[in-house]
């Protein structure tokens, strides 16, 4: 996929800004995984980008060694540079291909959003199951509670960029995990608690929030 290896100013800005202002979804996942992280020694973050989210986890859990891996060399170099500047000692970044991982030992595996940006979820998860074999896996992505998955290919012509925006069926993912000896123990919906303004450029992918009436009649923030 083009965006994995070709970083334009939009992509770099996206990754750098997260070092200054962690995303609400990052904070939510840290709270979600905090119980597992308290007893972990080594944790792997797959698809870490420039490492902003990994750095946030490392700052919240200084007794855990975090290793972030990403496919793009430029992002790995940026992550190591920023971690060094901030003096984060329990953190390092390395280049890796999630579709062809090396066998390593980690107590747990994290991944933030990346799964939906890949062409599929099966091969990436199988790489974790067979190569890393962690005690637990905690990730967020675009999921649906029912028996429907959507494979969405995004073409941003203004940026000459191609990516995926897939939505995966939780029951289907659960069955796949069970076939490889892992059990889906908990899933929680992420509820955004801040407003995000609509992007000014309609030709570049981004998110924003609107208020909508939910199924129970109450006002809900939709991203």
């Amino acid at each position: 996929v083009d965006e994995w290896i070709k970083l334009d100013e939009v992509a770099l800005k996206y990754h750098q800004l997260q070092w200054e202002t962690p995303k609400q979804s990052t904070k939510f996942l840290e709270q979600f995984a905090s119980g597992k992280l308290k007893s972990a020694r080594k944790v792997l973050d797959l698809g870490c980008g420039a490492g902003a989210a990994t750095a946030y986890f490392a700052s919240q859990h200084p007794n855990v060694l975090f290793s972030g891996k990403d496919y793009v060399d430029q992002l790995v170099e940026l992550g190591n540079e920023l971690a060094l500047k901030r003096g984060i000692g329990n953190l390092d970044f390395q280049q890796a291909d999630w579709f062809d991982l090396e066998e390593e030992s980690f107590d747990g595996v994290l991944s933030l959003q990346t799964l939906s940006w890949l062409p599929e979820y099966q091969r990436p998860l199988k790489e974790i199951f067979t190569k890393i074999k962690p005690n637990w896996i905690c990730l967020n992505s675009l999921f649906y509670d029912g028996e429907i998955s959507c494979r969405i290919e995004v073409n941003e012509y203004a940026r000459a960029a191609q990516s995926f925006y897939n939505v995966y069926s939780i029951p289907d993912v659960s069955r796949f995990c069970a076939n490889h000896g892992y059990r889906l123990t908990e899933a929680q919906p992420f509820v955004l608690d801040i407003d995000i303004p609509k992007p000014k450029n309609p030709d570049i992918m981004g998110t924003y929030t609107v208020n909508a009436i939910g199924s129970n009649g109450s006002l809900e923030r939709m991203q």
Side-chain angles (χ1 to χ4, degrees):
V1 178
D2 290 345
E3 73 168 3
W4 293 354
I5 54 177
K6 297 179 181 178
L7 292 176
D8 58 13
E9 291 183 5
V10 174
L12 279 173
K13 185 177 180 181
Y14 170 83
H15 288 285
Q16 289 173 326
L17 283 176
Q18 293 181 54
W19 276 85
E20 306 302 328
T21 308
K23 288 184 173 293
Q24 297 300 102
S25 55
T26 299
K27 298 177 182 178
F28 180 87
L29 193 69
E30 187 276 323
Q31 288 295 311
F32 183 75
S34 60
K36 297 292 186 183
L37 289 167
K38 288 177 182 178
S39 59
R41 295 177 298 105
K42 290 177 60 182
V43 172
L44 171 63
D45 181 8
L46 283 171
C48 66
T54 327
Y56 179 80
F57 275 76
S59 68
Q60 300 299 306
H61 301 273
N63 295 323
V64 181
L65 296 176
F66 289 88
S67 181
K69 295 185 184 291
D70 198 89
Y71 188 70
V72 182
D73 286 322
Q74 188 177 353
L75 290 177
V76 171
E77 292 172 5
L78 179 60
N80 279 316
E81 177 185 328
L82 293 171
L84 182 62
K85 285 183 178 179
R86 285 165 169 75
I88 306 175
N90 59 325
L91 175 63
D92 71 88
F93 299 102
Q94 302 171 13
Q95 193 278 337
D97 182 353
W98 194 342
F99 284 82
D100 188 21
L101 294 174
E102 296 181 1
E103 292 189 4
E104 294 184 85
S105 177
F106 288 93
D107 299 314
V109 170
L110 296 168
S111 182
L112 289 85
Q113 303 181 358
T114 307
L115 200 64
S116 279
W117 317 150
L118 302 178
E120 58 170 300
Y121 78 81
Q122 291 90 345
R123 281 189 293 166
L125 287 187
K126 188 175 180 180
E127 283 289 300
I128 299 175
F129 299 152
T130 59
K131 302 286 186 65
I132 308 299
K133 302 176 183 178
N135 297 326
W136 53 266
I137 302 166
C138 182
L139 57 84
N140 59 10
S141 185
L142 300 175
F143 290 113
Y144 175 59
D145 289 337
E147 296 282 357
I148 299 173
S149 288
C150 297
R151 186 175 187 271
I152 304 168
E153 183 177 302
V154 179
N155 288 282
E156 293 182 77
Y157 302 112
R159 296 176 58 204
Q162 185 183 40
S163 59
F164 292 94
Y165 215 80
N166 296 332
V167 181
Y168 303 119
S169 161
I170 289 181
D172 187 55
V173 173
S174 180
R175 288 189 292 266
F176 183 81
C177 292
N179 289 337
H180 292 83
Y182 281 79
R183 179 170 55 92
L184 179 62
T185 58
E186 186 177 1
Q188 285 186 14
F190 167 58
V191 179
L192 189 63
D193 58 356
I194 61 171
D195 293 321
I196 300 177
K198 191 172 184 178
K200 296 179 180 179
N201 190 339
D203 294 324
I204 294 178
M205 284 287 287
T207 69
Y208 61 98
T209 54
V210 296
N211 291 323
I213 302 298
S215 57
N216 60 359
S218 63
L219 197 64
E220 296 180 358
R221 184 184 288 104
M222 182 185 300
Q223 185 174 0

